[in-house]
Amino acid sequence: MEVPGDARAPEPGENQGLKPCLLRRNHSCEQYGVAASCLEDLRSKAYDILAIDKSLAPVTLVLAEDGTIVDDDDYFLCLPSNTKFVALASNEKWAYRNSDGGTAWISQESFSVDETDNGAEPKWKNVARQLKDDLSSIILLSEEDLQMLIDVPCSDLAQELCQSRVTVQGLQNTLQQVLDQREEARQSKQLLELYLQALEKEGRILSQQPESKAGFSDETDAADTGLSRESSSEIALSSQILTALKEKPAPELSLSSQDLELVTKEDPKALAVALNWDIKKTETVQHACNQELSLRLQQIQSLHSLRNISARRNSLPAELRSPKRAKRDPT
């Protein structure tokens, strides 16, 4: 059920610290209005309201619009009232729901399937709907999704977003800027890595370290990989994510925020086996993914905070928004 958007302001003496939220299970259309004082309170109420078995703990709360994981109270308090949350049990993955009110659900995993094979609608329309709900989700998109929206004909994207062509052209320019910024960041990281490799190589030459040590290290990595190869089947990452990790320079810049979250939660040993990497390189990439994810979530939080401040400012009387200034004494 929906929570009325024009709910009355709380009277003195009422719990004014409660935030109204909308809560539902994954792959479900039924929404429940919940008032929670903090993130843990909302998570606790989700078990009872959504009839989630305690054996499926822990429950992860994500934003329904883009799958962003909400695990910080400060971020939770910055979100606007009636924010829609999806409660994911321990064995569930977030799935994107069509914003047109239909019952069709398209999981993130199925996005990689060629839509022309089964007559489904193009993938770019699902991504466009995320932007239609919240433009700040640009930050969360993968490079593939950004490029896909840039390549869509302006008229088609304008029709999908119900915006003018001029507005959509500006949006596509912004998407291109975001893509260019990530590429610049990637090139900077590559240059830094080359510099560090040169320093390391120079240090090895000066210290005259025997090559046998490096050979032994390689053999150890190979042995470790062989011992752990049986655990490779436990990897939950899609082949698309694994390919990006193996082939893309600075892969954290290529992945969506949801993919970054999956990478950071993966067991380092199992991931090292799947990628045929040593454990040190794997942990370094996971750390880079975690940093990129934290940066994007901070940006989203800042945008939401600015939006809330702007909304409060616009709700003030005109004379308070633009107070008249006293005339200056000409003398």
Side-chain angles (χ1 to χ4, degrees):
M1 63 179 180
E2 295 281 353
V3 174
D6 57 348
R8 64 178 180 85
E11 296 294 335
E14 292 186 357
N15 287 327
Q16 299 187 24
L18 296 178
K19 178 189 289 292
C21 308
L22 294 173
L23 191 62
R24 63 170 171 80
R25 287 294 299 272
N26 205 22
H27 301 291
S28 174
C29 298
E30 293 184 359
Q31 296 184 127
Y32 298 86
V34 185
S37 59
C38 62
L39 188 61
E40 187 58 37
D41 185 26
L42 181 61
R43 185 180 290 110
S44 177
K45 292 181 178 180
Y47 284 103
D48 299 328
I49 295 175
L50 301 178
I52 300 177
D53 195 313
K54 297 286 185 176
S55 63
L56 299 178
V59 163
T60 302
L61 295 175
V62 304
L63 297 182
E65 62 186 19
D66 55 26
T68 299
I69 295 178
V70 182
D71 57 4
D72 178 77
D73 260 329
D74 292 335
Y75 181 43
F76 171 75
L77 295 175
C78 288
L79 294 172
S81 297
N82 296 329
T83 294
K84 297 181 180 181
F85 291 91
V86 176
L88 301 178
S90 59
N91 60 342
E92 293 180 334
K93 294 183 180 180
W94 172 77
Y96 175 70
R97 179 177 184 270
N98 282 338
S99 60
D100 58 3
T103 57
W105 289 76
I106 304 164
S107 66
Q108 195 71 10
E109 188 72 22
S110 67
F111 279 172
S112 58
V113 178
D114 186 357
E115 59 272 2
T116 60
D117 292 342
N118 52 17
E121 63 181 2
K123 175 185 172 182
W124 68 263
K125 290 191 175 184
N126 296 302
V127 181
R129 291 193 185 103
Q130 297 182 45
L131 297 187
K132 188 176 182 179
D133 292 337
D134 185 4
L135 276 178
S136 63
S137 61
I138 290 175
I139 299 172
L140 306 175
L141 297 180
S142 66
E143 287 186 323
E144 179 187 358
D145 290 341
L146 290 170
Q147 187 63 59
M148 182 168 47
L149 291 180
I150 293 171
D151 294 339
V152 173
C154 184
S155 57
D156 293 347
L157 188 57
Q159 182 178 1
E160 182 66 29
L161 297 176
C162 301
Q163 297 289 339
S164 67
R165 294 189 61 174
V166 174
T167 300
V168 170
Q169 184 62 59
L171 172 61
Q172 289 183 312
N173 291 338
T174 300
L175 295 173
Q176 184 63 58
Q177 291 175 8
V178 173
L179 201 58
D180 292 343
Q181 289 172 358
R182 293 194 188 179
E183 181 59 31
E184 291 173 2
R186 175 181 290 105
Q187 292 178 5
S188 298
K189 288 189 176 185
Q190 286 181 283
L191 289 175
L192 179 59
E193 288 176 0
L194 290 174
Y195 176 69
L196 294 176
Q197 290 173 6
L199 289 180
E200 184 180 358
K201 183 177 180 180
E202 182 180 354
R204 284 201 302 266
I205 295 175
L206 293 176
S207 61
Q208 296 182 348
Q209 293 180 352
E211 295 181 0
S212 59
K213 182 177 180 181
F216 174 77
S217 175
D218 293 340
E219 291 174 4
T220 303
D221 293 337
D224 292 340
T225 301
L227 291 173
S228 306
R229 192 167 299 280
E230 293 180 359
S231 64
S232 61
S233 60
E234 300 176 3
I235 288 290
L237 303 180
S238 67
S239 58
Q240 184 179 4
I241 298 177
L242 292 174
T243 300
L245 291 174
K246 294 178 70 172
E247 299 180 358
K248 294 280 189 179
E252 67 276 7
L253 299 174
S254 301
L255 299 174
S256 68
S257 294
Q258 184 184 4
D259 292 342
L260 292 173
E261 181 73 23
L262 293 175
V263 173
T264 57
K265 286 188 173 183
E266 194 61 68
D267 178 65
K269 293 182 180 179
L271 183 58
V273 172
L275 296 172
N276 198 23
W277 287 352
D278 60 79
I279 192 68
K280 182 178 180 181
K281 181 177 180 180
T282 303
E283 290 177 341
T284 299
V285 170
Q286 283 186 302
H287 179 67
C289 289
N290 187 53
Q291 286 186 318
E292 177 66 19
L293 179 61
S294 298
L295 176 61
R296 294 187 192 180
L297 293 181
Q298 288 173 5
Q299 292 173 336
I300 288 287
Q301 183 175 352
S302 299
L303 287 173
H304 285 172
S305 298
L306 289 173
R307 184 181 301 166
N308 291 339
I309 292 173
S310 177
R312 288 196 296 268
R313 177 179 172 82
N314 291 336
S315 65
L316 293 174
E319 59 271 15
L320 293 180
R321 291 202 305 267
S322 303
K324 294 182 179 179
R325 296 182 179 181
K327 294 183 178 179
R328 300 177 62 180
D329 189 346
T331 59

